[in-house]
Amino acid sequence: MRAPKSLATTATQKMIRLSMSLLILVIASCHPGITKIIAAPPRLAKLVPLAEIAAPKLSGFSGVAGLASCDILLADRSGRIFSSRNGSDVLLLGTVPGERAPELETVNGLDVIAWADPQPLLARITLDPFGIDSLPVLRHPWGERWVGPVVPLEHGRLAMAPIAHPYRFRPAPNHAPQARLADVLDAEGSLLTTVGPALHAVAGYRAWAQVKGAIGRQGDTLLSVAFEDGLLYRYPVSVNSSLGKTFLPRYFKPVTLREEVVRFPWIRFGELAYVFSTPQISQASFGPNGTLYAIRNYGFSWQGRKNVYVRSAGAWTPTAQGLEVYTPYGRLIGAYEIPVRTRSVRADVTGRLFLTLQSGGIEVYQDPTARPTSCPSIHPASRLIGR
């Protein structure tokens, strides 16, 4: 016969079970897990590869723009500007001062804008002869000189969204004055007007998190997409009223955005800021005629990391992604597979699609929504070597 358990042993086992239950609850509260899927993503088609541009030695590409001439303009993380000609080489054209990593923007394949942050840079790129013509960076109503996504407009004007930088945090100060999404600048960089929704910001980073994204244009209509909620907006450039907004498809239920700011008494200026969220869009850009190319997130999982300064430290990591292409009104045109760890996407007027990878290299594909490219410099399996 089995000996009966003592009351002390039974009580100890109950305490152990209770302690384990409490531990599981604590772990669950500190480890959010995965986002809830609410809709199946579309079936992803394959892109047709055209070329690969290897990253320059000791650096990587930060920006790319396809030109109407079929040349490809490139910028690397040290500020060097290159051009690829005839599909056989990458030629150094010049260098942006300050070792900044510029992004490159063009709509028509003719007007090219370079922009960078945190060292503010806003400049026009001229090619014949080559030049970097800097424009003044205006002080934002929130007190800083910021540069964000840029799009060339007609008649030499620019639209620039200083708060919407997709991965540079923009803090709103206490009692932040009203600001709008985008500044419309003349050819010399002077402010003409502001466009977009009024940002009624509370102090911190929540306003930035809600408007971070990309801008583009369709004719004289300004387009913007907010990555966090997947909202596509349309605005006339001359006034502040909206022409409408569209929610892009949602595939998962986002978590509640959380921010944590760490300040140290021995540092007078500066702070450590952490924003935890699950954006609907990872990166995006607008191509010719206002077509939207968006790298969509299809779900997130929580990856915990050690950080003594942050409660429940870690990061939300996408579980799957795909490239989705939309009309300027938000209608889905197609969905496509992309390489893992794609950093950005750009399309040009010649029918080419450029995907910049986290490694700094660039892969070139046929734009699946455009006519086959007629550029003679791009051939299947060609490889351009950055120097």
Side-chain angles (χ1 to χ4, degrees):
M1 296 181 61
R2 180 177 296 176
K5 296 180 180 179
S6 68
L7 293 177
T9 301
T10 303
T12 300
Q13 291 175 340
K14 288 182 178 180
M15 287 297 296
I16 292 174
R17 286 196 294 268
L18 178 60
S19 298
M20 290 298 295
S21 299
L22 290 174
L23 179 60
I24 291 171
L25 288 174
V26 170
I27 293 174
S29 65
C30 296
H31 185 84
I34 60 175
T35 52
K36 180 181 179 181
I37 303 301
I38 59 177
R43 179 174 295 180
L44 303 181
K46 292 185 179 297
L47 294 169
V48 177
L50 298 177
E52 179 184 349
I53 307 175
K57 294 180 180 179
L58 305 178
S59 185
F61 290 116
S62 60
V64 58
L67 306 182
S69 63
C70 287
D71 289 349
I72 304 172
L73 202 65
L74 303 153
D76 77 357
R77 294 168 183 165
S78 64
R80 296 179 296 175
I81 306 295
F82 302 88
S83 175
S84 91
R85 299 180 182 276
N86 304 320
S88 59
D89 209 347
V90 175
L91 306 178
L92 176 63
L93 299 179
T95 303
V96 173
E99 295 189 351
R100 288 171 282 195
E103 304 275 355
L104 300 177
E105 305 288 355
T106 184
V107 173
N108 54 15
L110 301 173
D111 302 309
V112 181
I113 305 299
W115 63 279
D117 206 81
Q119 298 183 63
L121 169 72
L122 183 61
R124 296 182 190 276
I125 301 294
T126 57
L127 297 173
D128 192 17
F130 176 78
I132 302 172
D133 301 327
S134 296
L135 297 173
V137 176
L138 306 178
R139 186 173 296 278
H140 190 268
W142 292 355
E144 301 291 338
R145 297 187 187 275
W146 286 327
V147 177
V150 181
V151 61
L153 302 175
E154 297 173 345
H155 311 299
R157 298 170 300 162
L158 304 175
M160 191 262 288
I163 304 177
H165 198 300
Y167 39 84
R168 297 287 184 190
F169 293 5
R170 305 305 201 202
N174 289 317
H175 311 294
Q178 186 182 98
R180 294 192 180 274
L181 175 69
D183 298 334
V184 179
L185 311 174
D186 67 14
E188 286 71 44
S190 298
L191 181 65
L192 293 174
T193 186
T194 57
V195 178
L199 303 178
H200 301 286
V202 295
Y205 298 88
R206 291 180 179 272
W208 163 78
Q210 292 298 326
V211 301
K212 67 177 181 178
I215 62 174
R217 73 175 173 93
Q218 181 189 28
D220 210 26
T221 297
L222 183 69
L223 308 171
S224 73
V225 63
F227 291 175
E228 196 67 32
D229 296 326
L231 265 172
L232 175 62
Y233 296 90
R234 297 168 53 83
Y235 305 100
V237 169
S238 56
V239 295
N240 289 322
S241 60
S242 172
L243 293 175
K245 64 181 180 180
T246 303
F247 273 104
L248 301 181
R250 291 190 169 193
Y251 304 108
F252 60 90
K253 183 179 180 180
V255 302
T256 301
L257 187 146
R258 175 169 64 94
E259 74 170 51
E260 293 196 25
V261 179
V262 182
R263 298 180 177 91
F264 301 97
W266 57 88
I267 299 179
R268 185 173 181 182
F269 300 103
E271 59 194 19
L272 295 178
Y274 303 87
V275 178
F276 304 90
S277 67
T278 52
Q280 299 291 325
I281 297 173
S282 173
Q283 287 291 329
S285 67
F286 290 91
N289 304 315
T291 304
L292 173 61
Y293 299 80
I295 299 176
R296 298 299 312 269
N297 297 316
Y298 296 139
F300 282 84
S301 65
W302 177 258
Q303 305 296 323
R305 299 172 185 170
K306 291 184 178 181
N307 188 330
V308 297
Y309 299 114
V310 179
R311 172 180 55 86
S312 186
W316 287 101
T317 303
T319 54
Q321 292 181 321
L323 173 67
E324 296 187 6
V325 185
Y326 299 88
T327 69
Y329 297 90
R331 180 178 63 83
L332 181 64
I333 301 174
Y336 308 93
E337 296 179 1
I338 56 174
V340 176
R341 300 182 66 81
T342 298
R343 177 182 176 272
S344 67
V345 55
R346 294 289 188 276
D348 74 359
V349 294
T350 70
R352 296 173 297 184
L353 193 66
F354 304 92
L355 301 182
T356 304
L357 309 182
Q358 294 287 357
S359 63
I362 295 175
E363 295 188 2
V364 188
Y365 296 87
Q366 167 65 44
D367 183 343
T369 65
R371 293 180 179 179
T373 182
S374 59
C375 290
S377 61
I378 296 297
H379 301 283
S382 66
R383 182 178 176 87
L384 312 179
I385 306 299
R387 298 187 186 277

